[in-house]
Amino acid sequence: MTATPEVPTIPAPAGEASFEDVFRADHRAVVAIALALTGSRAVAEEVAQEAFLRAHQRWDRVGTFERPGAWVRRVAINLALSDQRRRTSERRALARLELVRRDDGDRAAGVVAADAFWAAVRELPPQQRTAVVLRYVEDRPVADIAEILEVAEGTAKAHLHKARRALARRLTIDLEEEER
Amino acid sequence: MSTETLDRAAARAVDALHAELEGLDTEAALEAVTSGRAVAPEPRAPRRRRGTRIAAVAAAVLVLGGIVAALRPDGSGRDVRVADGPPIDASAYGAVVGRLESQVVPGLVAEVHGPELLGARSEVAVAVRGAAPGRTYHLAQCLRPGLPVNNPATTCAELGDLVIGSDGTGVAALRLPAVFMGTVPLRPNDCRTSECELQIGPLVGEDEPESTGDAAAFVPSSDPFYVGDGSAPSPWLPLAFDPAAEVDPLPTLSVTAIDGPDQGRWVRIEGANLAPGALALTVQGFLQEPAPPFSELSPTAVGELRTVEVGADGSFEVELALPDPIVQAPADIDGEARTPAPVACGAAPWACRIRVLWADGAPSVEGTPALLPEPVAYPAA
């Protein structure tokens, strides 16, 4: 981008929370979600920035939502998944190889390395990936996940269940706890 | 089997994730957004990406159908035209051959005008009325069954967007190829012999969710565009193509073993009927099982990415090194987690398969059709 766009002044918050309040409350969480989905901090920060920028530019509307933070998360998730979608087939294959290599080193110690865990998460289908990230990164209940994904609670729960089973199988570890 | 549980592994992974965010400066980021210093990065703008994909599809259409004289009076030669210039008269494209009514918004209707039987590259017009001004509808040509356009399992060619005007109407003129290049899998799809459909899907902004509750959508579910799970089909209209329609030769990629000292280590890749220009390729090796679909192939190894030049005649030839060996993932064998030995494909060609990959997203492939040929066996060393 070469030209500096005209950015409107911050509109008066239509709801109780101002844009700044929402930003300060949710920024780190949104970056963390994007990081889990993309695997890159730089991309995650860009994704969060873009999501908040859009919220800022539409604050007269977004600010009226009951939970503007959910809107920002949804936009960030879509952007992050879009970034993932851009990954080429061979990059996916490379990521899978990387997962195997990293996993090998830690398996001897009986633990799953964090990067192997997230690499396995990023191998999941988009809905399952998003559900499990919201669950683990933000400790979100099923109802919140359903709201952000814009699906029924039962659907969100099914995504979580399938995701956890797939992760356990992929990482060859126990699936001990049931979804709340 | 590891000694820990999934939730313990997840907790440790989340800790590591947050540790990676050390030093994140929320105040600086906030200042960047509110001061206007933060701008949406162009490369990730979805609309632009979609345009890129549309350009690729359009190029594929040109390859598949040949560059023919423009069918429209404006002679633009574009495959998608919307009413951003002179108004498009949908009825000039033929009778109404398909109709959709919104399940949500009374009076919201989409009609397709065109010939009863579509030829190699027939033109149709899609007219929408009763929609919210400014709304964008996404148009795609797909193989049935209809899934959301961006569902990973969907085989579609994205055609373009239709933007609704201030009077609640919008018209787009489309050129529909009898054979289109789908995104997944990356190969030609023949609508003369398979059932195809035209999808009309809602979009809100770019990646933005439907949050206002006043959806003027053709589907009862929320926007399935990006986070759709495949359970809610996009609305679709069946397309009837003439089985006898003649199309130009399809693009091809082929892989053959190189004889001699490099036998088993190098292959020759040949392409034909492609768009002239740069094409980025690599070779993927994978174990024979499981079979496609491609997204489930595992484990794999990938060779070096190479950019080749497609000549004016649409062909190229290049030699690429085979990735070898292939590392296998740990597996549950007789109740124990074991890591199988890497497979040396040159020594065990029966176990491995080769696929040529078109490198999506690289600037060098702009306007080049995406191909994913059927896999072939590794050549014996």
Side-chain angles (χ1 to χ4, degrees), chain A residues 12-27 30 33 48 51-56 58-77 138 140 147-148 150, chain B residues 208-209 211-212:
Chain A
E16 291 185 358
S18 68
F19 174 79
E20 286 84 350
D21 290 341
V22 171
F23 192 100
R24 290 190 177 102
D26 291 342
H27 178 251
V30 173
I33 290 168
F52 277 108
L53 181 63
R54 291 188 192 184
H56 180 248
R58 299 154 179 77
W59 192 247
D60 55 342
R61 182 170 66 93
V62 176
T64 64
F65 298 158
E66 189 176 344
R67 293 207 274 180
W71 188 94
V72 173
R73 280 169 176 76
R74 175 69 189 272
V75 173
I77 288 166
E138 289 211 282
R140 292 262 172 191
E147 180 189 350
I148 293 170
E150 294 188 339
Chain B
E208 298 168 16
S211 301
T212 59

Side-chain angles (χ1 to χ4, degrees), chain A:
Chain A
M1 178 92 56
T2 53
T4 302
E6 284 189 20
V7 177
T9 56
I10 303 172
E16 291 185 358
S18 68
F19 174 79
E20 286 84 350
D21 290 341
V22 171
F23 192 100
R24 290 190 177 102
D26 291 342
H27 178 251
R28 186 183 182 89
V30 173
V31 175
I33 290 168
L35 175 58
L37 290 171
T38 65
S40 162
R41 173 168 167 174
V43 171
E45 288 192 52
E46 272 188 28
V47 161
Q49 175 180 286
E50 187 172 345
F52 277 108
L53 181 63
R54 291 188 192 184
H56 180 248
Q57 290 169 334
R58 299 154 179 77
W59 192 247
D60 55 342
R61 182 170 66 93
V62 176
T64 64
F65 298 158
E66 189 176 344
R67 293 207 274 180
W71 188 94
V72 173
R73 280 169 176 76
R74 175 69 189 272
V75 173
I77 288 166
N78 285 340
L79 291 169
L81 292 179
S82 299
D83 187 84
Q84 281 291 96
R85 198 167 281 117
R86 294 180 66 215
R87 294 163 65 95
T88 63
S89 300
E90 82 274 11
R91 284 182 189 151
R92 284 201 298 272
L94 284 169
R96 193 174 294 128
L97 258 187
E98 194 65 14
L99 163 66
V100 171
R101 287 171 182 156
R102 289 173 177 175
D103 205 29
D104 283 347
D106 291 285
R107 191 156 295 280
V111 298
V112 176
D115 46 7
F117 180 88
W118 293 120
V121 167
R122 287 188 284 274
E123 288 279 302
L124 296 171
Q127 287 278 42
Q128 293 180 28
R129 192 186 321 156
T130 306
V132 83
V133 164
L134 290 169
R135 175 52 159 235
Y136 285 133
V137 174
E138 289 211 282
D139 199 24
R140 292 262 172 191
V142 170
D144 280 9
I145 296 171
E147 180 189 350
I148 293 170
L149 292 182
E150 294 188 339
V151 298
E153 282 192 32
T155 304
K157 193 167 185 177
H159 287 319
L160 263 180
H161 180 68
K162 289 178 184 173
R164 284 163 52 82
R165 285 174 62 95
L167 280 177
R169 188 168 55 248
R170 184 73 186 88
L171 299 168
T172 60
I173 60 179
D174 277 335
L175 183 60
E176 187 178 70
E177 298 174 25
E178 292 299 316
E179 279 107 20
R180 278 172 271 178

